[in-house]
Amino acid sequence: MSEREPAALRTLVLHCPDWPLVSWGIPGDEPAAVLVANRVVATSAAARSEGVSVGQRRREAQGRCPDLALLDRDRGREVRFFEPIVAALEDLTPRVEVFEPGTLGFPTRGPARYFGGESALVGQVVEAARPVVPSRGRLQVAVADGGFATRLAAALLAVERPCLLAEGSTPAFLADQSVNVLGMPELSSVLERLGLRSLGQFAALDAGDVVGRFGREGAVAHRLARGFDDHPPDLRRPAPELTVEQVFEPPTNRLDVCAHAAWELAESLGSTLGAAGLACVRVGIEVESSDGHTAMRLWRHGGVLTPAVMAERARWQLEGWIRALPSNPAAIDPAAIDSALSPDDVHGLVRLRLIPDEVVPAVGRQLGLWGGRSERADEITRVVGRVQALLGSDSVTVPEWRGGRGPSEQLVLVPAAAVDLGVDRPATASEWVTEPWPGRLPNPSPARVYAEPATVDLLDAFDQSVSVSSRGEISDVPAIFVLDRGRRRRVLDWAGPWPAEERWWDPLHQRRRARIQVILDDQSAHLLVVEHGQWFLEATYD
Amino acid sequence: MPVPAEPTPTSSEALAAERIEALLGSKGLIGKIAPLSRSSAALYPVPEDLAALLGRNGIPKGWQLGFVGGGAWTTAMRLWASMLGNDGWLALVGVADLGLAALAEQGVRLDRVVVIEPPPGDLWLPVVDALVETFTVVAVGPARVSRAHARRLTSRCRDQGAVISHLAESGTLTWPEPLDCVFDCTSASWSGVDAGSGHLRGRKVEIAVRGRRQAPSRVLSSAGLAVATP
């Protein structure tokens, strides 16, 4: 990390904003959001202008924008629609690397020389990509120093026209950015509390002090803030014998078979690299099909590629190939394409290879390089990794306490990929939450908590809707319970209400709710919540 | 087997006896089988009232359990807490509604719990198949699985020792094969609530068991929900 270190590589990044929505064929002026586990992970421009934002729950997002279209995340689909763009750019340079579906990049040195300068190269890239971008997608292209800064420039500066940051001007661009762009929420919240709001302020700290205070993650962030890449550039090629491969006999185009093979390859690659003290930052995924064609894609990640991450990228890529698009780019209309897909059309795959294309010395203990811990935790981690390879890493989560009043707020699910299952995790013990939560429901907690609460009509003996006043008083004794306009059921007994006023200081996010417990005539007990006069079935004491 | 009081056997009889001894004797096949069958008969501990109900001291490894009716989810959680003990791992597959706070209150260690989204149809089996390899209990919601696949998974569980718990969604179990033991629960009564005051504290659940390997029996369990509140 000395100052003699050469500057980050000149890099070109092509970024298609809102790719998860574009891959579903949603135009930007239609309000839509993509969800994972009931949380918003991507939004269309129209949805953003209505106040829908990443991280919101489904209900909250629908509350902001009632005609919001909701879509499931489908990474395989995102890769599939991005494939033609990657392929088009591969005609210009062989070293195209995919960062995630919708974003790719490559070092400009060779191709810029060939095409006569960086701005000529940008023109070539736009010209090559334009015809294969789905009609609803947009292209944003930037050239700057280093992958991180260039991705940022492509997302922020290249909205109207391609952006070319002159050599050496990247640190000045970064200096004005908020520390949130690092994508390390815990670190940036600490930095903000210390009064360091911009990358420039953070970059001005002494590198040694940063390592001492924030450890390895802080050191990487500090490198990025100063305009370096997260790892020093190292152009040594890894030894070819590190490549791992699996031969399919007979040829297969079953995604689960391929995904499983990818997981086993990633796992063995991970342990080989670990034994050699190396970690992979860019991996090549190569397949050979039974008709003799081979295809290869390079994937990079904002850090070290753990076996789980490698296996997941391989799964996305395989899905992109196996459920390939027609070769005619004009036919790429996301709305029309699904019916045309048939996995039987493609030739089977006969070989899958994972090539550790760029490796760096492993620093610290890497997740996924198992050993030296309890054998059981390692086995669990291995099996969890295999499930992640099959379903995608977002689909495997572990619970942590967060504190809150309602049963759905006390615990959150965090991706298993983000934690180490082999070590003590204090946030999984209920003592983790020490602040008292006024308005919190007394124990026991309900055994069933509905992710999508159904509406309930709660009536008194005279068929009048029961309401809760702003002072937390109930209007009358609840007598009749009607779920989703279904059968009327008698309320035998009830308790409450427990008012819950949240974020009263924030007019945009404040919520006033109240909860009651009811016992119905079949001796089932439920937790109901009322907001804006509407009751919901939030949970059942099953 | 030869009996000493008998006249000396002919050489061929001696040979046969030797063979039988080799097959069935303590150093032979029986000697090898016995410890195996003992280990496969090993039990996961269960709460006392449920042990009385089941007529055995635990749930045998590799069993498939079903939970139906009012109070079934809490009963399942109580059972898991005891089966998992301090070191067991629980996987929840496609049972997103399960209350994790309740799970913790019943005594399950949350740092041994992994939550998995419902896998799409054709991936359900590969996912559960992978999980039973090392998880102690795998809890699943309704699944569409062919009879042949269900049987294969059953034998996988017997090999690995994992117990699959099938949670009924709306009163019915969809598993195509008979389950080893099904807990039919009926919520009987609640305490702690009185016309607006108090809060739910305890309840009684009537639990009946039946199944392929379970003699029918029933009990009124009061240990359903009560949790000390500070």
Side-chain angles (χ1 to χ4, degrees), chain A residues 96-146:
Chain A
V96 177
E97 53 192 49
V98 182
F99 190 74
E100 64 174 7
T103 307
L104 60 75
F106 55 85
T108 57
R109 202 174 55 162
R113 203 180 293 149
Y114 181 84
F115 288 106
E118 285 178 344
S119 73
L121 174 66
V122 169
Q124 291 282 338
V125 165
V126 172
E127 202 175 302
R130 175 72 61 206
V132 286
V133 173
S135 52
R136 272 123 189 196
R138 284 182 296 128
L139 274 182
Q140 299 181 183
V141 179
V143 179
D145 298 334

Short mmCIF file of all heavy atoms in Angstrom, two decimals, chain A residues 96-146:
data_model
loop_
_atom_site.label_atom_id
_atom_site.label_comp_id
_atom_site.label_asym_id
_atom_site.label_seq_id
_atom_site.Cartn_x
_atom_site.Cartn_y
_atom_site.Cartn_z
N VAL A 96 -13.62 -9.27 -21.59
CA VAL A 96 -14.82 -8.69 -20.98
C VAL A 96 -15.13 -9.43 -19.69
O VAL A 96 -15.17 -10.66 -19.67
CB VAL A 96 -16.03 -8.80 -21.93
CG1 VAL A 96 -17.28 -8.27 -21.26
CG2 VAL A 96 -15.75 -8.05 -23.21
N GLU A 97 -15.34 -8.71 -18.60
CA GLU A 97 -15.72 -9.37 -17.37
C GLU A 97 -17.06 -8.84 -16.88
O GLU A 97 -17.33 -7.65 -16.93
CB GLU A 97 -14.63 -9.22 -16.30
CG GLU A 97 -14.22 -7.80 -16.04
CD GLU A 97 -12.95 -7.73 -15.20
OE1 GLU A 97 -11.97 -8.44 -15.53
OE2 GLU A 97 -12.96 -6.98 -14.22
N VAL A 98 -17.90 -9.79 -16.44
CA VAL A 98 -19.23 -9.42 -15.96
C VAL A 98 -19.11 -9.17 -14.47
O VAL A 98 -18.58 -10.00 -13.73
CB VAL A 98 -20.24 -10.53 -16.23
CG1 VAL A 98 -21.63 -10.11 -15.76
CG2 VAL A 98 -20.26 -10.88 -17.70
N PHE A 99 -19.60 -8.01 -14.03
CA PHE A 99 -19.57 -7.73 -12.61
C PHE A 99 -20.84 -8.25 -11.97
O PHE A 99 -20.81 -8.94 -10.97
CB PHE A 99 -19.42 -6.24 -12.38
CG PHE A 99 -19.13 -5.93 -10.95
CD1 PHE A 99 -17.90 -6.18 -10.40
CD2 PHE A 99 -20.12 -5.39 -10.15
CE1 PHE A 99 -17.64 -5.92 -9.07
CE2 PHE A 99 -19.87 -5.12 -8.81
CZ PHE A 99 -18.64 -5.38 -8.28
N GLU A 100 -21.95 -7.92 -12.54
CA GLU A 100 -23.22 -8.57 -12.23
C GLU A 100 -24.10 -8.37 -13.44
O GLU A 100 -23.78 -7.56 -14.30
CB GLU A 100 -23.83 -8.00 -10.95
CG GLU A 100 -24.20 -6.55 -11.04
CD GLU A 100 -24.94 -6.09 -9.79
OE1 GLU A 100 -25.04 -6.86 -8.83
OE2 GLU A 100 -25.43 -4.96 -9.80
N PRO A 101 -25.21 -9.12 -13.54
CA PRO A 101 -26.05 -8.94 -14.73
C PRO A 101 -26.41 -7.47 -14.87
O PRO A 101 -26.93 -6.86 -13.94
CB PRO A 101 -27.28 -9.79 -14.43
CG PRO A 101 -26.84 -10.78 -13.40
CD PRO A 101 -25.74 -10.14 -12.63
N GLY A 102 -26.12 -6.89 -16.03
CA GLY A 102 -26.40 -5.47 -16.23
C GLY A 102 -25.16 -4.60 -16.17
O GLY A 102 -25.20 -3.44 -16.55
N THR A 103 -24.04 -5.13 -15.68
CA THR A 103 -22.82 -4.33 -15.58
C THR A 103 -21.62 -5.18 -16.00
O THR A 103 -21.42 -6.27 -15.47
CB THR A 103 -22.61 -3.84 -14.13
OG1 THR A 103 -23.78 -3.17 -13.70
CG2 THR A 103 -21.43 -2.88 -14.06
N LEU A 104 -20.85 -4.66 -16.95
CA LEU A 104 -19.64 -5.36 -17.35
C LEU A 104 -18.53 -4.34 -17.54
O LEU A 104 -18.78 -3.13 -17.59
CB LEU A 104 -19.86 -6.17 -18.64
CG LEU A 104 -20.28 -5.42 -19.90
CD1 LEU A 104 -19.13 -4.67 -20.54
CD2 LEU A 104 -20.83 -6.42 -20.90
N GLY A 105 -17.31 -4.84 -17.63
CA GLY A 105 -16.20 -3.92 -17.81
C GLY A 105 -15.00 -4.63 -18.38
O GLY A 105 -14.98 -5.86 -18.50
N PHE A 106 -13.99 -3.84 -18.80
CA PHE A 106 -12.73 -4.43 -19.24
C PHE A 106 -11.65 -3.36 -19.20
O PHE A 106 -11.96 -2.16 -19.29
CB PHE A 106 -12.85 -5.08 -20.64
CG PHE A 106 -13.38 -4.16 -21.71
CD1 PHE A 106 -12.51 -3.31 -22.41
CD2 PHE A 106 -14.74 -4.16 -22.03
CE1 PHE A 106 -13.00 -2.49 -23.41
CE2 PHE A 106 -15.22 -3.33 -23.02
CZ PHE A 106 -14.35 -2.49 -23.72
N PRO A 107 -10.37 -3.77 -19.07
CA PRO A 107 -9.28 -2.79 -19.11
C PRO A 107 -9.17 -2.23 -20.53
O PRO A 107 -9.28 -2.98 -21.50
CB PRO A 107 -8.04 -3.60 -18.73
CG PRO A 107 -8.48 -4.98 -18.46
CD PRO A 107 -9.89 -5.14 -18.87
N THR A 108 -8.94 -0.92 -20.63
CA THR A 108 -9.02 -0.30 -21.95
C THR A 108 -7.69 -0.30 -22.70
O THR A 108 -7.67 0.04 -23.88
CB THR A 108 -9.47 1.17 -21.83
OG1 THR A 108 -8.54 1.84 -20.98
CG2 THR A 108 -10.86 1.28 -21.27
N ARG A 109 -6.58 -0.61 -22.01
CA ARG A 109 -5.29 -0.32 -22.61
C ARG A 109 -5.12 -0.90 -24.02
O ARG A 109 -4.88 -0.16 -24.97
CB ARG A 109 -4.16 -0.82 -21.71
CG ARG A 109 -2.85 -0.12 -21.98
CD ARG A 109 -1.80 -0.53 -20.99
NE ARG A 109 -1.65 -1.98 -20.98
CZ ARG A 109 -0.60 -2.60 -20.47
NH1 ARG A 109 0.38 -1.90 -19.94
NH2 ARG A 109 -0.51 -3.89 -20.49
N GLY A 110 -5.32 -2.23 -24.13
CA GLY A 110 -5.16 -2.86 -25.44
C GLY A 110 -6.17 -2.37 -26.47
O GLY A 110 -5.81 -1.82 -27.53
N PRO A 111 -7.47 -2.51 -26.19
CA PRO A 111 -8.48 -2.13 -27.19
C PRO A 111 -8.44 -0.64 -27.54
O PRO A 111 -8.69 -0.28 -28.71
CB PRO A 111 -9.82 -2.51 -26.54
CG PRO A 111 -9.52 -2.93 -25.16
CD PRO A 111 -8.07 -3.20 -25.04
N ALA A 112 -8.10 0.25 -26.58
CA ALA A 112 -8.06 1.68 -26.90
C ALA A 112 -6.95 1.95 -27.91
O ALA A 112 -7.11 2.75 -28.83
CB ALA A 112 -7.84 2.50 -25.64
N ARG A 113 -5.83 1.25 -27.74
CA ARG A 113 -4.73 1.43 -28.68
C ARG A 113 -5.18 0.95 -30.07
O ARG A 113 -4.94 1.59 -31.08
CB ARG A 113 -3.52 0.62 -28.20
CG ARG A 113 -2.20 1.12 -28.75
CD ARG A 113 -1.05 0.28 -28.23
NE ARG A 113 -0.83 0.41 -26.81
CZ ARG A 113 -0.36 -0.59 -26.05
NH1 ARG A 113 -0.11 -1.77 -26.57
NH2 ARG A 113 -0.15 -0.41 -24.77
N TYR A 114 -5.88 -0.16 -30.09
CA TYR A 114 -6.30 -0.75 -31.36
C TYR A 114 -7.30 0.14 -32.09
O TYR A 114 -7.23 0.33 -33.29
CB TYR A 114 -6.91 -2.14 -31.09
CG TYR A 114 -7.36 -2.86 -32.33
CD1 TYR A 114 -6.45 -3.60 -33.09
CD2 TYR A 114 -8.68 -2.80 -32.74
CE1 TYR A 114 -6.85 -4.26 -34.22
CE2 TYR A 114 -9.10 -3.46 -33.88
CZ TYR A 114 -8.18 -4.19 -34.62
OH TYR A 114 -8.59 -4.85 -35.74
N PHE A 115 -8.25 0.71 -31.34
CA PHE A 115 -9.30 1.49 -32.00
C PHE A 115 -8.95 2.97 -32.12
O PHE A 115 -9.77 3.75 -32.60
CB PHE A 115 -10.63 1.34 -31.25
CG PHE A 115 -11.25 -0.03 -31.44
CD1 PHE A 115 -11.22 -0.96 -30.43
CD2 PHE A 115 -11.82 -0.37 -32.66
CE1 PHE A 115 -11.77 -2.22 -30.61
CE2 PHE A 115 -12.37 -1.63 -32.85
CZ PHE A 115 -12.35 -2.56 -31.83
N GLY A 116 -7.77 3.35 -31.63
CA GLY A 116 -7.35 4.74 -31.80
C GLY A 116 -7.86 5.66 -30.71
O GLY A 116 -8.46 6.70 -31.00
N GLY A 117 -7.70 5.27 -29.47
CA GLY A 117 -8.02 6.16 -28.36
C GLY A 117 -9.26 5.73 -27.62
O GLY A 117 -10.09 4.97 -28.12
N GLU A 118 -9.37 6.25 -26.41
CA GLU A 118 -10.47 5.83 -25.54
C GLU A 118 -11.83 6.29 -26.05
O GLU A 118 -12.81 5.57 -25.96
CB GLU A 118 -10.24 6.35 -24.11
CG GLU A 118 -9.16 5.55 -23.38
CD GLU A 118 -8.88 6.09 -21.99
OE1 GLU A 118 -9.28 7.23 -21.69
OE2 GLU A 118 -8.24 5.36 -21.21
N SER A 119 -11.89 7.50 -26.60
CA SER A 119 -13.22 7.96 -27.01
C SER A 119 -13.69 7.20 -28.26
O SER A 119 -14.88 6.93 -28.42
CB SER A 119 -13.25 9.48 -27.19
OG SER A 119 -12.57 9.82 -28.36
N ALA A 120 -12.73 6.81 -29.11
CA ALA A 120 -13.10 5.97 -30.25
C ALA A 120 -13.59 4.61 -29.76
O ALA A 120 -14.56 4.05 -30.28
CB ALA A 120 -11.91 5.80 -31.19
N LEU A 121 -12.93 4.10 -28.71
CA LEU A 121 -13.33 2.81 -28.14
C LEU A 121 -14.75 2.90 -27.58
O LEU A 121 -15.58 2.00 -27.79
CB LEU A 121 -12.34 2.40 -27.05
CG LEU A 121 -12.71 1.14 -26.26
CD1 LEU A 121 -12.68 -0.09 -27.15
CD2 LEU A 121 -11.76 0.95 -25.08
N VAL A 122 -15.03 3.99 -26.87
CA VAL A 122 -16.38 4.17 -26.32
C VAL A 122 -17.41 4.15 -27.45
O VAL A 122 -18.46 3.50 -27.35
CB VAL A 122 -16.46 5.48 -25.51
CG1 VAL A 122 -17.91 5.82 -25.16
CG2 VAL A 122 -15.63 5.36 -24.23
N GLY A 123 -17.09 4.84 -28.56
CA GLY A 123 -17.99 4.84 -29.71
C GLY A 123 -18.24 3.44 -30.23
O GLY A 123 -19.38 3.06 -30.53
N GLN A 124 -17.15 2.65 -30.33
CA GLN A 124 -17.27 1.27 -30.80
C GLN A 124 -18.18 0.45 -29.88
O GLN A 124 -19.00 -0.34 -30.33
CB GLN A 124 -15.88 0.61 -30.84
CG GLN A 124 -14.96 1.15 -31.91
CD GLN A 124 -15.32 0.59 -33.28
OE1 GLN A 124 -15.94 -0.46 -33.39
NE2 GLN A 124 -14.93 1.31 -34.33
N VAL A 125 -17.98 0.63 -28.56
CA VAL A 125 -18.75 -0.13 -27.58
C VAL A 125 -20.23 0.19 -27.70
O VAL A 125 -21.09 -0.71 -27.75
CB VAL A 125 -18.24 0.16 -26.14
CG1 VAL A 125 -19.24 -0.32 -25.09
CG2 VAL A 125 -16.88 -0.49 -25.92
N VAL A 126 -20.55 1.49 -27.78
CA VAL A 126 -21.95 1.90 -27.88
C VAL A 126 -22.57 1.34 -29.16
O VAL A 126 -23.68 0.80 -29.15
CB VAL A 126 -22.08 3.43 -27.82
CG1 VAL A 126 -23.51 3.86 -28.10
CG2 VAL A 126 -21.63 3.94 -26.45
N GLU A 127 -21.80 1.42 -30.24
CA GLU A 127 -22.31 0.95 -31.52
C GLU A 127 -22.57 -0.56 -31.51
O GLU A 127 -23.56 -1.04 -32.05
CB GLU A 127 -21.28 1.29 -32.59
CG GLU A 127 -21.83 1.35 -33.99
CD GLU A 127 -20.75 1.82 -34.95
OE1 GLU A 127 -20.21 2.93 -34.73
OE2 GLU A 127 -20.43 1.06 -35.87
N ALA A 128 -21.64 -1.29 -30.84
CA ALA A 128 -21.79 -2.75 -30.80
C ALA A 128 -22.94 -3.17 -29.88
O ALA A 128 -23.66 -4.13 -30.16
CB ALA A 128 -20.49 -3.39 -30.32
N ALA A 129 -23.11 -2.44 -28.78
CA ALA A 129 -24.10 -2.88 -27.78
C ALA A 129 -25.50 -2.42 -28.11
O ALA A 129 -26.47 -3.11 -27.84
CB ALA A 129 -23.69 -2.37 -26.39
N ARG A 130 -25.60 -1.23 -28.71
CA ARG A 130 -26.92 -0.62 -28.95
C ARG A 130 -27.93 -1.58 -29.59
O ARG A 130 -29.05 -1.72 -29.09
CB ARG A 130 -26.73 0.65 -29.81
CG ARG A 130 -27.99 1.34 -30.25
CD ARG A 130 -28.70 2.05 -29.13
NE ARG A 130 -27.92 3.10 -28.50
CZ ARG A 130 -28.11 3.50 -27.23
NH1 ARG A 130 -29.02 2.92 -26.49
NH2 ARG A 130 -27.37 4.45 -26.73
N PRO A 131 -27.55 -2.30 -30.68
CA PRO A 131 -28.57 -3.13 -31.33
C PRO A 131 -29.05 -4.30 -30.48
O PRO A 131 -30.11 -4.86 -30.75
CB PRO A 131 -27.87 -3.65 -32.60
CG PRO A 131 -26.56 -2.99 -32.66
CD PRO A 131 -26.26 -2.35 -31.38
N VAL A 132 -28.27 -4.73 -29.48
CA VAL A 132 -28.68 -5.91 -28.72
C VAL A 132 -29.25 -5.56 -27.35
O VAL A 132 -29.62 -6.44 -26.58
CB VAL A 132 -27.51 -6.92 -28.55
CG1 VAL A 132 -27.26 -7.63 -29.87
CG2 VAL A 132 -26.25 -6.24 -28.05
N VAL A 133 -29.33 -4.28 -27.01
CA VAL A 133 -29.97 -3.90 -25.75
C VAL A 133 -31.48 -3.95 -25.96
O VAL A 133 -31.97 -3.43 -26.96
CB VAL A 133 -29.54 -2.47 -25.34
CG1 VAL A 133 -30.35 -2.00 -24.13
CG2 VAL A 133 -28.06 -2.44 -25.02
N PRO A 134 -32.20 -4.61 -25.05
CA PRO A 134 -33.65 -4.65 -25.21
C PRO A 134 -34.19 -3.23 -25.31
O PRO A 134 -33.62 -2.29 -24.74
CB PRO A 134 -34.13 -5.33 -23.92
CG PRO A 134 -32.96 -6.07 -23.40
CD PRO A 134 -31.75 -5.33 -23.87
N SER A 135 -35.29 -3.07 -26.05
CA SER A 135 -35.77 -1.73 -26.37
C SER A 135 -35.98 -0.88 -25.13
O SER A 135 -35.86 0.33 -25.17
CB SER A 135 -37.07 -1.84 -27.15
OG SER A 135 -37.96 -2.69 -26.44
N ARG A 136 -36.30 -1.52 -23.99
CA ARG A 136 -36.59 -0.74 -22.79
C ARG A 136 -35.35 -0.41 -21.97
O ARG A 136 -35.43 0.28 -20.98
CB ARG A 136 -37.57 -1.49 -21.91
CG ARG A 136 -38.98 -1.19 -22.27
CD ARG A 136 -39.76 -2.41 -22.63
NE ARG A 136 -41.05 -2.04 -23.18
CZ ARG A 136 -42.06 -2.88 -23.30
NH1 ARG A 136 -41.92 -4.12 -22.91
NH2 ARG A 136 -43.19 -2.48 -23.81
N GLY A 137 -34.20 -0.97 -22.39
CA GLY A 137 -32.99 -0.75 -21.61
C GLY A 137 -32.24 0.49 -22.05
O GLY A 137 -32.44 1.00 -23.14
N ARG A 138 -31.40 1.00 -21.14
CA ARG A 138 -30.56 2.13 -21.48
C ARG A 138 -29.11 1.72 -21.27
O ARG A 138 -28.81 0.84 -20.48
CB ARG A 138 -30.89 3.34 -20.60
CG ARG A 138 -32.18 4.02 -21.04
CD ARG A 138 -32.45 5.24 -20.19
NE ARG A 138 -32.67 4.88 -18.82
CZ ARG A 138 -32.02 5.43 -17.78
NH1 ARG A 138 -31.11 6.35 -17.97
NH2 ARG A 138 -32.28 5.07 -16.56
N LEU A 139 -28.21 2.41 -22.00
CA LEU A 139 -26.78 2.11 -21.92
C LEU A 139 -26.07 3.27 -21.28
O LEU A 139 -26.28 4.42 -21.67
CB LEU A 139 -26.21 1.99 -23.33
CG LEU A 139 -26.27 0.67 -24.05
CD1 LEU A 139 -25.59 0.83 -25.40
CD2 LEU A 139 -25.57 -0.38 -23.24
N GLN A 140 -25.23 3.01 -20.29
CA GLN A 140 -24.40 4.07 -19.71
C GLN A 140 -22.96 3.57 -19.71
O GLN A 140 -22.67 2.52 -19.15
CB GLN A 140 -24.88 4.41 -18.30
CG GLN A 140 -26.31 4.92 -18.31
CD GLN A 140 -26.87 5.30 -16.95
OE1 GLN A 140 -28.02 5.67 -16.86
NE2 GLN A 140 -26.05 5.22 -15.91
N VAL A 141 -22.09 4.33 -20.38
CA VAL A 141 -20.71 3.89 -20.55
C VAL A 141 -19.77 4.93 -19.96
O VAL A 141 -19.96 6.13 -20.15
CB VAL A 141 -20.38 3.68 -22.04
CG1 VAL A 141 -18.94 3.23 -22.21
CG2 VAL A 141 -21.33 2.66 -22.66
N ALA A 142 -18.78 4.45 -19.20
CA ALA A 142 -17.80 5.37 -18.63
C ALA A 142 -16.41 4.75 -18.72
O ALA A 142 -16.26 3.53 -18.73
CB ALA A 142 -18.14 5.68 -17.18
N VAL A 143 -15.40 5.63 -18.80
CA VAL A 143 -14.00 5.19 -18.71
C VAL A 143 -13.36 6.01 -17.60
O VAL A 143 -13.50 7.23 -17.55
CB VAL A 143 -13.24 5.43 -20.03
CG1 VAL A 143 -11.78 4.98 -19.87
CG2 VAL A 143 -13.90 4.67 -21.17
N ALA A 144 -12.69 5.31 -16.68
CA ALA A 144 -11.99 6.00 -15.59
C ALA A 144 -10.91 5.07 -15.06
O ALA A 144 -10.63 4.03 -15.68
CB ALA A 144 -12.97 6.40 -14.49
N ASP A 145 -10.30 5.43 -13.92
CA ASP A 145 -9.24 4.60 -13.33
C ASP A 145 -9.85 3.62 -12.34
O ASP A 145 -10.46 4.02 -11.37
CB ASP A 145 -8.23 5.47 -12.58
CG ASP A 145 -7.52 6.45 -13.51
OD1 ASP A 145 -7.42 6.15 -14.71
OD2 ASP A 145 -7.09 7.51 -13.02
N GLY A 146 -9.67 2.33 -12.59
CA GLY A 146 -10.08 1.31 -11.62
C GLY A 146 -11.54 0.93 -11.75
O GLY A 146 -12.38 1.73 -12.15
#
